Amino acid sequence: MTVIAIAAVVAIVSVTMVATVSFATGTSARARAQVQAQASAEDAVDRTLSQMSLYTKGAETTFPCSLPYSEVTPAGSSTTEVTLRYRTEGGTAFNCPIPTSMPVVEAEVTATSDVSINTADGERTATRTVKQRLAVTDVPSGGSLFGYGIFSGSSFTATNTFNIQGGGLHANGDYGCNSSGAIIGPVSATGNVSITNGCIANSVAAGGTYSCTSSGAVTGDVTAAGSGTSSLTNGCTIGGTFRTKGPISLTTATPRVGGNMISAAGGISASNTGPIVTGYGRAGGAITGAATMSTVFQGGYTANSPSAAPDAPPAEVMPAITWEDVQKAGWPVKNVSTWINESAAANNAPSWASGRTAGTCSADAANYGINGPMTSPTVPTVIDARTCDVNFQNIVLNLKDDLTIVVKSFSVNNSFRVSSTKNGAKLRIIVPVPAGATTCSSTLPSSAKGTLDLKNTVTFDANVDVLLYTNGKTSFTNTVNLHGSVYTCQLQASVATTIVHSDMTPPGMEGPSSALYAFEQTARYNLDPGDS
């Protein structure tokens, strides 16, 4: 009897163990399927947003109401249905189709993904739904040619407190930030992006890789379209989703990603255990490293699951400003030497002062120069200095109206301050490009590649908007502050530069309004899952 009882107990325990293993296996399979369903829904939304960038104004009746999307994943077969609805101007509800070609002001994209799996309990389906709300971005009347705070036609590295507030930055090359730089706006670079030592940005789109060390922070999403390894370490944070084409390396337990982490074609390696990713992880290759990967990815993870790689930001062509463009506004033109001579006379400079010399291109506030500030024309004016290497030293300029200075090159020694009695006065300092030439081209003549060199405390008052433009090099050294934008083929900035963006498209150069819709992501959220 004792033997029979022991055998019965062993049988019961064995059945319990088998049931436990089967339950664990089924639970693990469902968890993977849930993560995969979430990833598929997110991918479907992102792909739809890419298609929506081609939506044409006036063709609203043709906007789709649904799009199919499917893929095969390690967890199972995924089928996703994307539905789209639109709110038109004056309307209160989201609908589709749009009965008449009314302008769209908001849109809503909903992606529901089903992943079917076989478990010990039979076939099951994991379902996840992601909803994206979109607003139509207002485009300035006539279109803006100068929408960035900084445009650099080549690689650029910011050092020592470099700040852009609004407009963001684009570089046709690499972008690097060292020591407390802040881009309050998007960053796009055709090459690699690297930040360190407390640098921050709103979002990053890199054509190459993304790397961050020593507490760099991005409040939104980061995409890296290169096949090389992107990396995070030492307190780096990403508020949104981190999406790459190549592998991702996580070293130390201190990086934080508030959204998801996705390597489209590579693997993800984490050398330390810790709650690094709030969302889910997905990799085209293996996910390896930490002893307990489930603690790294709070929303679960799926390995060996390739997905669509992010798009690389395109190389952009800097808008061309020619002498003919400057004259489109019809403003009066004054020779730079005449302007300097008039300022010297207004300041009672000595007759022997350099500011009294015919043909001069330089102005110094000292008594041997112009003996005081530069005078301002009282109406919008173009200063013709196309043959001059203009140099200002210790100059104060109080604008009475808009002023455009067209130069061969422009430099500031010691200090330069621009104020204005007119709120919103605009100062443009331009090295023009020859008509028909391609900007930032190696074939440009040297006369079109003049430098803009501002150093040693250059201040433009907050009520003055400034455009600095050259097909050559722009240099900032030792405290330069301005409201406006900088468009240059090469940029160097060191020690305390601040740019508060405002659109500085020259009058008469406004481009045609875009025929395409521009959508801005306003909110993305997950709906309650409905697994079966």
Side-chain angles (χ1 to χ4, degrees):
M1 292 292 293
T2 301
V3 173
I4 293 174
I6 292 173
V9 170
V10 171
I12 292 171
V13 171
S14 298
V15 170
T16 302
M17 290 176 65
V18 170
T20 301
V21 171
S22 298
F23 175 76
T25 302
T27 301
S28 176
R30 276 194 290 272
R32 288 195 301 271
Q34 290 165 357
V35 171
Q36 192 59 66
Q38 179 75 28
S40 295
E42 297 270 4
D43 278 351
V45 169
D46 291 336
R47 292 192 184 190
T48 302
L49 296 182
S50 179
Q51 294 183 43
M52 292 177 72
S53 66
L54 301 177
Y55 278 16
T56 303
K57 296 174 183 177
E60 290 82 3
T61 57
T62 67
F63 289 1
C65 298
S66 64
L67 295 169
Y69 173 79
S70 63
E71 64 177 326
V72 177
T73 74
S77 176
S78 168
T79 301
T80 304
E81 182 68 22
V82 176
T83 58
L84 301 98
R85 299 191 304 163
Y86 313 92
R87 185 173 72 83
T88 55
E89 189 173 67
T92 58
F94 287 83
N95 297 292
C96 195
I98 301 172
T100 58
S101 289
M102 291 284 292
V104 170
V105 294
E106 282 188 286
E108 186 178 81
V109 179
T110 304
T112 299
S113 178
D114 296 324
V115 175
S116 299
I117 55 170
N118 292 314
T119 71
D121 299 326
E123 185 174 288
R124 293 289 184 267
T125 300
T127 300
R128 289 293 182 270
T129 300
V130 174
K131 180 174 285 189
Q132 174 74 62
R133 295 293 293 270
L134 303 162
V136 174
T137 302
D138 290 331
V139 177
S141 178
S144 172
L145 294 179
F146 297 86
Y148 292 113
I150 289 280
F151 178 98
S152 177
S154 57
S155 296
F156 167 58
T157 298
T159 61
N160 298 330
T161 318
F162 178 87
N163 298 304
I164 300 176
Q165 300 175 23
L169 176 147
H170 176 81
N172 285 338
D174 299 337
Y175 168 69
C177 178
N178 186 355
S179 300
S180 303
I183 310 296
I184 310 304
V187 172
S188 59
T190 60
N192 301 324
V193 172
S194 60
I195 66 174
T196 187
N197 295 333
C199 290
I200 65 174
N202 278 13
S203 63
V204 170
T209 61
Y210 174 78
S211 62
C212 174
T213 60
S214 299
S215 301
V218 177
T219 57
D221 294 339
V222 173
T223 61
S227 57
T229 299
S230 295
S231 61
L232 303 177
T233 187
N234 293 341
C236 289
T237 62
I238 296 173
T241 289
F242 186 21
R243 183 187 295 268
T244 70
K245 177 181 179 180
I248 298 173
S249 173
L250 305 173
T251 57
T252 78
T254 55
R256 294 291 182 268
V257 176
N260 306 316
M261 180 177 290
I262 303 168
S263 172
I268 299 176
S269 62
S271 59
N272 294 82
T273 297
I276 295 175
V277 181
T278 302
Y280 64 84
R282 178 180 182 182
I287 296 179
T288 60
T292 311
M293 294 302 296
S294 58
T295 64
V296 174
F297 300 98
Q298 302 294 287
Y301 64 94
T302 300
N304 301 311
S305 176
S307 58
D311 294 329
E316 298 189 22
V317 177
M318 189 171 79
I321 301 180
T322 67
W323 173 246
E324 291 74 19
D325 290 327
V326 172
Q327 294 180 295
K328 287 179 179 178
W331 296 355
V333 177
K334 178 176 290 190
N335 180 270
V336 66
S337 298
T338 302
W339 181 39
I340 294 172
N341 295 161
E342 290 176 350
S343 297
N347 296 330
N348 295 314
S351 59
W352 46 264
S354 62
R356 298 274 195 172
T357 304
T360 184
C361 295
S362 299
D364 191 317
N367 68 340
Y368 52 77
I370 64 171
N371 198 39
M374 290 292 294
T375 58
S376 169
T378 57
V379 297
T381 300
V382 174
I383 301 296
D384 185 1
R386 286 175 291 164
T387 61
C388 268
D389 296 311
V390 177
N391 176 257
F392 282 177
Q393 295 195 55
N394 300 308
I395 288 296
V396 173
L397 170 61
N398 184 27
L399 293 177
K400 294 181 174 63
D401 213 317
D402 296 352
L403 186 68
T404 297
I405 307 175
V406 184
V407 300
K408 180 181 178 183
S409 70
F410 182 85
S411 61
V412 170
N413 293 341
N414 299 325
S415 68
F416 180 40
R417 181 187 173 187
V418 180
S419 58
S420 178
T421 57
K422 173 188 175 182
N423 193 38
K426 291 176 170 50
L427 172 66
R428 298 178 176 91
I429 302 175
I430 295 170
V431 180
V433 66
T438 301
T439 56
C440 297
S441 168
S442 60
T443 60
L444 285 173
S446 58
S447 60
K449 298 179 180 179
T451 59
L452 302 179
D453 186 9
L454 283 67
K455 57 191 174 187
N456 298 334
T457 311
V458 176
T459 301
F460 302 93
D461 283 7
N463 66 339
V464 177
D465 295 331
V466 180
L467 172 66
L468 301 177
Y469 177 96
T470 180
N471 279 263
K473 180 180 180 179
T474 300
S475 297
F476 298 136
T477 306
N478 296 337
T479 311
V480 176
N481 300 303
L482 65 86
H483 285 67
S485 59
V486 178
Y487 275 65
T488 182
C489 295
Q490 186 180 357
L491 179 63
Q492 178 181 332
S494 62
V495 188
T497 299
T498 298
I499 296 170
V500 180
H501 175 257
S502 61
D503 183 12
M504 289 298 294
T505 301
M509 284 192 66
E510 296 84 358
S513 298
S514 175
L516 300 177
Y517 273 96
F519 291 98
E520 178 183 8
Q521 300 182 40
T522 56
R524 181 179 292 197
Y525 47 92
N526 299 326
L527 303 184
D528 292 335
D531 298 346
S532 61

